Amino acid sequence: MKLTVEGIKNTADWEAKGYSLPKFDRAKVEALTKAEPFWIHFGAGNIFRAFQANVVQELLNQGVLDRGLIVAEGYDYEIIQKMYKPHDNIGALVTLKSSGSVEKTVVGSIMEALAADSNNEKEWMRLLQIFRSPSLQMVTFTITEKGYLLKNAAGVFMPGVEEDFAAGPVLPKSYIGKVVTLLHERFANGELPVAMVSMDNCSHNGDKLYAAVNEFAAEWENRGVCKPGFLAYVNNASKVSFPWTMIDKITPRPDAKIEKILAQDGIEELEPVITSKKTYVAPFVNAEECQYLVIEDSFPNGRPELEKGGLYFTDRATVDKVEKMKVCTCLNPLHTFLAVSGCLLGYTLIADEMKDEDLLRLVKKLGYEEGLPVVVDPGIIKPRDFIDEVVNIRIPNPFMPDTPQRIACDTSQKLSIRFGETIKGYLGRSDLNVTDLKVVPLVFALWLRYLMAIDDKGNEFELSPDPLLDECRKYVEGLKIGSAADEVFKALKPVLSRKDIFGVDLVEAGLGERVCRYFFDLVDHPGCIRETLHLVANNALWEIKTSI
């Protein structure tokens, strides 16, 4: 059994092992896709293979679609050469269910895989041809948020960008330079309409893609190195759109345990590849069962009926509401709480934390009791249903190898959005009292306690990377286990006023004393973190200790 066109022809063998197979005429679909492409995707990684490619396969199986996908990789060409092409663009998707079972699918909806490399003449010419095609409706991206940056954090242009600015749409070197060169080809061949759709997991992703494309177009027009009118084309929403999207699906690195399951089924040549750019890819992907993709319905050249595959199409305001529901209330804050708590309690798997009665109660209090009252219901997905799925299915999933240590990365950059927006919601409502928040300030205290890098047993542990790590650790460097209340308040008061970290001035908001009080309880003695979490989980903390 091999993951190739020939290898999956013996359907009885695959189905006997529990695999769902493509149910369409691949040769016919491939021919039509290459002749009249409708969707090309940049970014050949796991999320694309587990989500978009599987949705397209389901719609091909149903007869909703008659063409498949084309994928292009503009950063690590070895993914295409060493993984896609040896397997005829066919892969296995293993869906990891919270019940402990797995669902196995052979995904064959990708009809063409190309290296977006302007030095590869054959494949670059093919990309230009695809962008000249009137049938092309969607150009989508999962290239990570960093993929849209033209400059690094120091304000220095990313490799290739300045050369691409100067050269114009000819043999580009940078990722965005390649994308804009291809879009220019579409413009130069009749100003053909298209939707440029970022599907990366970042806020207002369409704006990030637009900003990069627009900067290139403006530079080229100013320098006179492109066809006149290109900038106007990029900014004409009836020709080129940059929809916002919200994507949510966890696709961890291909797991050795999953490779073993597939090998026991008799599948050959499953060995992963680590490219020279350190990308880890395998002929299979493993992913959680839950998934969401909400897309602003702005497609100048029309679009297929992807809603029949479970995708949501709506207006921009609703996309924004769904994202805020996820990021500010229903998922990300719960993850951050579990991350800092897990590090302090010695957990190494987020899923295991959901077996902890205290942490489970606090997660529910944070989501249902403190977060839900200020969520704006987006209408297309009910917030309570979303949290139900997060709490009961997604986070407890034993197959998800997510660690508190990974999620604790960059926490200083996350608190203002994940918790500050909830506080603002309470402050802005006459029917809510910010002092009713118990778990939100506890998270802040836990993070400050985490910065001491000493766990609940008194052992040192390694802190996760964070751009403000050294700066924020200074606030707690004079504190220790057993510090007095007045020491705690004096040390923490300056950081509690930092709106850039918490989203609000916690002292002005009336939560500063509560955070200090929690912190005081969290440094009282070894084991006090567990005690404090237990007390807050059971609404008992405020009956003991002396207030600061």
Side-chain angles (χ1 to χ4, degrees), residues 483-490 492 496 512-521 523 542 544-548:
S483 285
D486 58 342
E487 290 180 275
V488 168
F489 190 86
K490 183 178 179 181
L492 299 186
L496 297 179
E513 185 172 320
R514 178 162 290 168
V515 175
C516 288
R517 165 64 183 280
Y518 277 135
F519 188 93
F520 174 63
D521 292 329
V523 296
W542 304 102
I544 65 167
K545 306 271 188 191
T546 302
S547 64
I548 295 171

Side-chain angles (χ1 to χ4, degrees), residues 93-97 248-252 286-291 393-395 397 400:
L93 166 62
V94 181
T95 302
L96 313 172
K97 300 203 168 184
D248 187 17
K249 186 178 182 71
I250 298 174
T251 52
N286 36 249
E288 68 168 334
E289 60 196 289
C290 305
Q291 60 187 32
I393 298 175
R394 302 184 68 182
I395 301 180
N397 191 328
M400 289 295 104

Side-chain angles (χ1 to χ4, degrees), residues 195-241:
M196 305 288 284
V197 191
S198 169
M199 294 180 174
D200 275 297
N201 185 20
C202 53
S203 179
H204 302 172
N205 46 20
D207 288 354
K208 290 177 171 61
L209 175 58
Y210 164 75
V213 172
N214 184 65
E215 187 169 345
F216 256 94
E219 282 285 341
W220 285 352
E221 285 233 355
N222 290 337
R223 297 177 187 225
V225 295
C226 70
K227 184 178 178 181
F230 182 49
L231 180 62
Y233 168 75
V234 166
N235 284 276
N236 183 346
S238 68
K239 295 289 186 180
V240 185
S241 65

Side-chain angles (χ1 to χ4, degrees), residues 29-321:
V29 169
E30 182 178 352
L32 191 54
T33 301
K34 290 181 176 180
E36 298 179 15
F38 79 99
W39 182 352
I40 183 169
H41 182 88
F42 285 84
N46 291 336
I47 183 70
F48 163 70
R49 297 164 68 196
F51 198 167
Q52 291 92 337
N54 192 44
V55 167
V56 169
Q57 169 143 311
E58 290 174 0
L59 294 177
L60 283 167
N61 287 342
Q62 296 169 26
V64 174
L65 294 179
D66 59 2
R67 288 163 291 171
L69 282 158
I70 299 172
V71 66
E73 174 56 42
Y75 171 69
D76 194 340
Y77 314 134
E78 290 179 49
I79 297 174
I80 301 296
Q81 300 303 328
K82 295 183 176 180
M83 190 53 60
Y84 275 80
K85 293 194 174 179
H87 294 280
D88 300 331
N89 307 326
I90 290 171
L93 166 62
V94 181
T95 302
L96 313 172
K97 300 203 168 184
S98 58
S99 63
S101 63
V102 299
E103 182 179 281
K104 299 174 290 190
T105 306
V106 173
V107 179
S109 61
I110 302 166
M111 300 296 143
E112 195 171 6
L114 302 163
D117 176 7
S118 61
N119 292 318
N120 184 327
E121 183 177 359
K122 180 181 177 182
E123 301 205 355
W124 186 249
M125 289 299 105
R126 173 58 182 154
L127 284 167
L128 290 170
Q129 181 184 37
I130 290 166
F131 272 76
R132 288 194 294 267
S133 176
S135 61
L136 185 65
Q137 296 175 313
M138 302 168 58
V139 182
T140 59
F141 301 83
T142 50
I143 60 175
T144 78
E145 187 171 1
K146 293 179 181 177
Y148 307 107
L149 297 178
L150 302 186
K151 293 180 179 179
N152 63 20
V156 177
F157 280 111
M158 302 294 281
V161 171
E162 286 185 287
E163 296 95 316
D164 290 348
F165 278 172
V170 181
L171 301 181
K173 297 178 174 61
S174 66
Y175 208 136
I176 292 297
K178 297 168 189 175
V179 169
V180 186
T181 297
L182 293 167
L183 185 60
H184 182 271
E185 184 75 7
R186 191 164 183 79
F187 161 71
N189 284 270
E191 299 188 24
L192 299 171
V194 72
M196 305 288 284
V197 191
S198 169
M199 294 180 174
D200 275 297
N201 185 20
C202 53
S203 179
H204 302 172
N205 46 20
D207 288 354
K208 290 177 171 61
L209 175 58
Y210 164 75
V213 172
N214 184 65
E215 187 169 345
F216 256 94
E219 282 285 341
W220 285 352
E221 285 233 355
N222 290 337
R223 297 177 187 225
V225 295
C226 70
K227 184 178 178 181
F230 182 49
L231 180 62
Y233 168 75
V234 166
N235 284 276
N236 183 346
S238 68
K239 295 289 186 180
V240 185
S241 65
F242 297 87
W244 290 5
T245 68
M246 191 287 292
I247 191 167
D248 187 17
K249 186 178 182 71
I250 298 174
T251 52
R253 172 173 144 161
D255 194 295
K257 295 191 294 292
I258 304 306
E259 181 183 347
K260 184 177 180 180
I261 291 172
L262 301 183
Q264 289 173 342
D265 285 343
I267 302 180
E268 305 169 49
E269 299 175 4
L270 289 169
E271 296 77 15
V273 169
I274 301 176
T275 71
S276 59
K277 290 189 175 180
K278 308 302 182 186
T279 306
Y280 186 101
V281 289
F284 65 92
V285 291
N286 36 249
E288 68 168 334
E289 60 196 289
C290 305
Q291 60 187 32
Y292 298 90
L293 181 51
V294 183
I295 306 173
E296 178 187 354
D297 200 354
S298 179
F299 290 80
N301 201 27
R303 63 168 179 81
E305 295 179 290
L306 298 178
E307 59 269 39
K308 292 184 177 180
L311 307 190
Y312 297 85
F313 289 88
T314 184
D315 55 61
R316 175 168 289 198
T318 302
V319 176
D320 195 41
K321 289 175 185 175

